[in-house]
Amino acid sequence: MLRNGDSLTLNEKTYPNCYLHRSSPNDVARTEHLTFICSPEKEDAGPTNNWMDPEGAKHKVGALLDGAMRGRTMYVIPYIMGPASSPISQMGVEITDSPYVAASMRIMSRMGKIAMDRLGSSSEFVPGLHSVGDLDPLRRYIVHFPQEKLIWSVGSGYGGNALLGKKCFALRIASVMAREQGWMAEHMLILGLESPGGKVTYMAAAFPSSCGKTNLAMMVSALENQGYRVWTVGDDISWMKIGEDGYLHAINPEAGFFGVAPGTGLKTNPNVMSAITRNTLFTNVALTADRQPWWEGFNDAPPPEMINWKGERWDSSKGPAAHPNARYTVPAKQSPSISPKWEAPEGVPISAFIFGGRRARVAPLVYESFDWKHGVFLGATMASETTAAATGDIGVTRRDPMAMLPFCGYNMADYFQHWLEMGKRIPHPPKIFHVNWFRRGADGKFLWPGYGENVRVLKWILERIEGRGEAQETRIGYVPARNGLTLDGLSISTEALGKLFEVNPEDWQGELEDTQQFFAKFGDRLPQELRDEHRRLAHRLETAVSA
Ligand code: TSX
Ligand code: MN
């Protein structure tokens, strides 16, 4: 990669063993419209996935793969998703003609001899076949065969399309395995909240993209002087099985963080900024005159001289210096916040699930579900306002159930049913919460400071888990009672607090209609329990309006 100029060595003093990789300008993000679930029956992929019949997919994508690696080096990558000795971990083998994929998989998974040792003579692994092909989006397909537990990808060398262990295996194929085998594969960060006695309580949280999942997972607590600290177990994916103790136990199947660089800086995520100063592979970031990586949000002012992500001399007339989806790939263990339990073979016991979205209105800062079924309803109706300036979609509300819309490998209605079934089987199920750091006041300004201050919300969640937290019942769930949230050291007006927790019946009426429409997509396959939850919410809101 260094020899042919696809990659560059960064400043060896300030960024030892770090590299910059530039991808093809037409291959800079996952391509959901070219991603397919190839189940024998179309209905088993469901209304939220693209579908191709398995035979047709093999014929079509097979033709593109046929001879695609001729004259190129082929890499065979045996890898473990999850800690090497965990019974929750799974094996994969990826075949690729991309050295960038091989290098990235070395960071993102446990790869090589350690995987061969675990595999032994077993043939229990998920095979993945990948070729960059000609990188033309017209000949790009990412196809999943859930019945065979097989992945084929051609025409992209970018992250989630090409590192097959991550979204393709750990979410799309694993979600199918999880339903078949009675466990859960979720698009969730995992964090531990340490409280003053030193006890750590683990939580898993699902947010759609651009809600700051990685920032929350690595958060520097604003209540550290009171003994509250956040430990990182994972920032993207959680595999969970019911343990002997009756708790749901989670592992992070990944060994690294493949994070969005723009917007990441000392103010938003100091832990990851410290992590990425060594052994890190950067993709599509800008390069400063002294060969350091740079991107928008890195610091306050761009350095005077720079090469942009395409390798051209940059000036402010040329748009952003780094691609908005530029990435860092870094070993997880390099984060100062990494949990001492992050590779525990038995996983960590999960006490809370947190769903969330980016909502300027409607959703309060935090609320707790009445019970598991209601919590599944909260996850199933999750929504976020889009921020992607590139596609012109700003402020459009999108439903993204459990943040799994592009990642569920089967019919999402069946996925909701699986959640409901798991609730019946877990002796000590996690409590379920919904958060929204992004509510705005009438002046358009954010009502909540977010970032390190979010630990105040996590602290209330912890107190609810322990049966101490004070709550007030509303039409939509429990919110913190007056004085329930720890606010010392924070200047926030009573008025802003009122707005943060307001449950506006008219707004929620609109929400009801929108979720009704969303649920209609799933037809008869939608679980009755979710229809019931919808009706219950409607009823509670009605009594609010008539009152
Ligand atoms: O990651 C974010 N988090 C979670 C942090 C642990 N972001 C960035 C989202 C894009 C990836 C946030 N942005 C958060 C947040 O909690 N909150 C906001 C909104 C916000 C932005 C700027 C301010 C406040 C809130 N600034 C000031 O109040 C000065
Ligand atoms: Mn993700």
Side-chain angles (χ1 to χ4, degrees):
M1 285 190 285
L2 294 171
R3 220 179 298 123
N4 70 18
D6 281 351
S7 292
L8 304 167
T9 309
L10 295 177
N11 188 313
E12 265 133 44
K13 288 229 166 62
T14 52
Y15 286 87
N17 196 31
C18 289
Y19 302 89
L20 165 58
H21 175 81
R22 294 189 184 123
S23 76
S24 170
N26 66 6
D27 187 31
V28 291
R30 282 188 302 108
T31 43
E32 283 170 19
H33 64 293
L34 305 173
T35 301
F36 293 81
I37 301 299
C38 306
S39 47
E41 300 295 325
K42 186 173 197 285
E43 285 66 35
D44 290 332
T48 60
N49 278 313
N50 301 310
W51 177 83
M52 247 195 270
D53 88 87
E55 247 182 77
K58 288 214 172 145
H59 188 76
K60 187 172 195 152
V61 182
L64 295 170
L65 283 164
D66 196 8
M69 294 186 185
R70 193 164 293 139
R72 299 175 59 80
T73 301
M74 184 176 89
Y75 301 83
V76 180
I77 307 173
Y79 64 96
I80 311 171
M81 293 309 284
S85 62
S86 171
I88 309 176
S89 298
Q90 303 267 353
M91 309 275 318
V93 178
E94 176 167 353
I95 288 176
T96 180
D97 56 3
S98 161
Y100 169 73
V101 167
S104 301
M105 288 292 284
R106 182 76 181 79
I107 299 175
M108 294 305 293
S109 71
R110 281 83 173 176
M111 178 245 263
K113 182 177 186 309
I114 194 169
M116 290 307 284
D117 288 348
R118 178 171 165 130
L119 190 61
S121 58
S122 161
S123 58
E124 229 181 277
F125 61 85
V126 169
L129 173 56
H130 169 253
S131 171
V132 292
D134 64 6
L135 293 179
D136 187 332
L138 293 173
R139 283 177 290 280
R140 178 180 300 164
Y141 291 95
I142 301 94
V143 291
H144 306 71
F145 302 92
Q147 203 172 38
E148 276 182 86
K149 317 288 183 290
L150 168 71
I151 306 155
W152 284 7
S153 167
V154 66
S156 168
Y158 171 82
N161 286 345
L163 314 182
L164 302 185
K166 193 175 172 67
K167 304 303 193 181
C168 300
F169 178 2
L171 288 173
R172 296 194 193 97
I173 295 294
S175 63
V176 174
M177 298 167 96
R179 183 169 70 127
E180 288 172 356
Q181 301 164 12
W183 51 282
M184 302 175 89
E186 299 297 332
H187 190 199
M188 288 178 170
L189 67 86
I190 309 163
L191 63 78
L193 178 63
E194 181 177 336
S195 50
K199 185 180 162 204
V200 182
T201 303
Y202 297 91
M203 310 177 182
F207 301 99
S209 54
S210 75
C211 288
K213 215 160 94 208
T214 301
N215 296 344
L216 187 69
M218 299 187 198
M219 192 177 76
V220 175
S221 160
L223 297 178
E224 208 157 301
N225 55 0
Q226 293 185 31
Y228 292 89
R229 196 182 162 156
V230 171
W231 296 101
T232 311
V233 178
D235 82 325
D236 197 40
I237 302 176
S238 175
W239 283 357
M240 295 170 279
K241 285 192 176 162
I242 303 172
E244 309 252 292
D245 57 1
Y247 285 86
L248 200 55
H249 282 248
I251 62 160
N252 172 9
E254 301 188 280
F257 306 124
F258 177 65
V260 175
T264 306
L266 286 176
K267 288 197 188 112
T268 60
N269 193 336
N271 280 320
V272 90
M273 290 306 282
S274 150
I276 62 176
T277 56
R278 58 199 194 280
N279 312 320
T280 300
L281 181 51
F282 295 92
T283 306
N284 296 339
V285 302
L287 184 65
T288 67
D290 49 2
R291 303 184 71 76
Q292 306 196 73
W294 192 87
W295 48 79
E296 282 65 25
F298 191 104
N299 47 20
D300 293 331
E305 260 184 72
M306 246 185 327
I307 307 290
N308 75 5
W309 67 275
K310 291 181 185 169
E312 308 156 347
R313 285 189 75 87
W314 178 82
D315 65 70
S316 56
S317 72
K318 287 216 168 106
H323 187 277
N325 194 34
R327 299 276 171 156
Y328 52 79
T329 309
V330 61
K333 62 170 184 257
Q334 289 186 193
S335 177
S337 63
I338 198 73
S339 163
K341 290 272 189 184
W342 88 283
E343 297 190 285
E346 71 282 12
V348 295
I350 299 296
S351 300
F353 280 145
I354 306 173
F355 295 124
R358 176 188 282 267
R359 304 296 299 269
R361 273 176 278 281
V362 188
L365 178 63
V366 58
Y367 62 108
E368 179 188 340
S369 73
F370 294 118
D371 55 27
W372 180 270
K373 274 194 236 176
H374 180 231
V376 175
F377 177 79
L378 297 190
T381 58
M382 248 170 76
S384 207
E385 285 149 16
T386 53
T387 59
T391 52
D393 288 351
I394 303 183
V396 181
T397 306
R398 284 239 176 85
R399 301 278 146 198
D400 185 357
M402 285 84 169
M404 283 289 277
L405 202 63
F407 305 120
C408 186
Y410 58 101
N411 190 313
M412 199 129 216
D414 300 344
Y415 168 78
F416 297 151
Q417 190 65 57
H418 178 52
W419 265 81
L420 293 162
E421 298 305 326
M422 287 301 293
K424 295 173 202 162
R425 287 188 41 227
I426 309 168
H428 302 292
K431 279 180 174 282
I432 302 180
F433 299 82
H434 187 282
V435 301
N436 173 25
W437 320 129
F438 303 93
R439 202 163 187 180
R440 294 177 195 253
D443 58 0
K445 288 194 179 141
F446 290 113
L447 290 162
W448 179 250
Y451 299 99
E453 305 296 348
N454 292 337
V455 74
R456 300 170 190 276
V457 172
L458 300 184
K459 177 173 180 279
W460 180 74
I461 290 174
L462 169 65
E463 288 161 358
R464 291 298 291 168
I465 293 163
E466 295 185 339
R468 304 183 279 127
E470 297 285 337
Q472 183 188 324
E473 188 174 336
T474 75
R475 319 276 162 186
I476 62 165
Y478 300 107
V479 298
R482 193 188 304 267
N483 305 322
L485 264 194
T486 303
L487 294 171
D488 38 307
L490 188 69
S491 65
I492 184 163
S493 70
T494 322
E495 198 202 340
L497 267 180
K499 285 269 171 219
L500 268 172
F501 286 105
E502 188 196 11
V503 178
N504 179 308
E506 280 78 45
D507 282 353
W508 279 90
Q509 203 62 45
E511 198 69 4
L512 263 184
E513 281 152 33
D514 197 68
T515 49
Q516 176 94 22
Q517 272 186 21
F518 180 67
F519 277 172
K521 273 188 213 267
F522 301 102
D524 290 346
R525 216 140 155 165
L526 187 81
Q528 184 59 38
E529 286 96 324
L530 291 185
R531 287 176 219 279
D532 294 345
E533 285 302 325
H534 188 273
R535 196 154 27 75
R536 269 189 214 115
L537 175 60
H539 181 74
R540 286 193 301 266
L541 291 169
E542 238 166 65
T543 54
V545 173
S546 57

